[in-house]
């Protein structure tokens, strides 16, 4: 079984911007209930179908991701996914042995910038860069599936 182990953080400064260039992502959700999601994602000219199971404390959850034809991904996003879809630019920053992914959200989630790092074990120690803020791994409000239904712009905190 494929397991995703990640930690998620708010980003508190722009120091990361000079470390990477970004790529535009669009993703929508076909299903999102009881911690289980079915997601369609477009990254550049590539499409993906991802199925995730419920998570547990520590950020681990089952995840299965498959490449699909871009035309299929586009049609699924337009006809099967709940709207609006998540739009973001993802920046990948290599620091030591880890790759930090910084997501700068657009559209209804404009103003939100999150960083996540995938780990090989739940107890793996990491060095937190200076531009990283509070950890939000267990705060479901920062899950993309939640943001699709409850956009950051509607939270009333920005």
């Amino acid at each position: 079984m494929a397991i995703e182990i990640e930690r998620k953080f708010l980003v508190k400064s722009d120091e990361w911007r000079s470390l990477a260039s970004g790529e535009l992502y669009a993703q929508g959700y076909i299903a999102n209930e009881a911690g289980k999601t079915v997601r369609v994602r477009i990254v550049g000219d590539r499409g993906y179908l991802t199925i995730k199971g419920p998570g547990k404390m520590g950020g681990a959850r089952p995840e299965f991701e498959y490449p699909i034809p871009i035309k299929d991904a586009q049609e699924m996003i337009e006809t099967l996914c709940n709207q609006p879809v998540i739009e973001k630019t993802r920046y990948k920053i290599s620091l030591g042995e880890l790759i930090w992914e910084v997501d700068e959200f657009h559209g209804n989630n404009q103003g939100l910038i999150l960083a996540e790092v995938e780990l090989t074990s739940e107890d793996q120690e990491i060095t937190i860069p200076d531009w990283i803020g509070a950890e939000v791994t267990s705060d479901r409000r920062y899950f993309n599936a939640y943001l699709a239904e409850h956009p950051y712009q509607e939270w009333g905190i920005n």
Side-chain angles (χ1 to χ4, degrees):
M1 174 187 311
I3 299 289
E4 171 190 58
I5 304 169
E6 70 180 14
R7 290 176 64 186
K8 189 176 289 207
F9 301 84
L10 296 173
V11 173
K12 67 179 182 180
S13 78
D14 284 339
E15 292 175 44
W16 60 272
R17 288 195 183 275
S18 64
L19 302 174
S21 58
E23 188 168 28
L24 192 59
Y25 280 51
Q27 64 189 48
Y29 292 86
I30 295 172
N32 179 24
E33 60 182 61
K36 297 177 274 185
T37 62
V38 178
R39 173 185 77 201
V40 178
R41 177 181 274 175
I42 296 174
V43 181
D45 62 353
R46 301 173 314 275
Y48 300 92
L49 181 66
T50 305
I51 302 162
K52 293 187 178 193
K56 60 181 184 173
M57 294 304 287
R61 66 190 292 192
E63 177 184 67
F64 305 90
E65 184 167 84
Y66 307 98
I68 61 174
I70 186 69
K71 288 186 179 193
D72 289 356
Q74 290 166 334
E75 186 171 340
M76 288 179 192
I77 282 180
E78 291 171 9
T79 63
L80 299 178
C81 292
N82 298 324
Q83 300 294 322
V85 299
I86 296 286
E87 299 170 293
K88 62 187 179 181
T89 301
R90 173 164 285 175
Y91 303 83
K92 294 186 179 186
I93 301 167
S94 183
L95 295 174
E97 296 181 10
L98 298 174
I99 297 176
W100 288 83
E101 296 177 339
V102 177
D103 289 341
E104 182 173 21
F105 289 85
H106 309 295
N108 292 338
N109 290 296
Q110 183 79 35
L112 179 61
I113 303 176
L114 295 173
E116 60 187 46
V117 61
E118 289 203 19
L119 307 174
T120 56
S121 70
E122 292 179 52
D123 60 355
Q124 181 177 348
E125 291 191 28
I126 62 173
T127 301
I128 307 290
D130 292 340
W131 41 270
I132 293 291
E135 183 165 3
V136 293
T137 300
S138 299
D139 188 337
R140 68 184 295 268
R141 293 177 304 161
Y142 295 99
F143 296 177
N144 282 270
Y146 183 89
L147 291 168
E149 294 179 9
H150 309 279
Y152 184 69
Q153 293 277 315
E154 296 175 6
W155 293 10
I157 59 174
N158 17 340

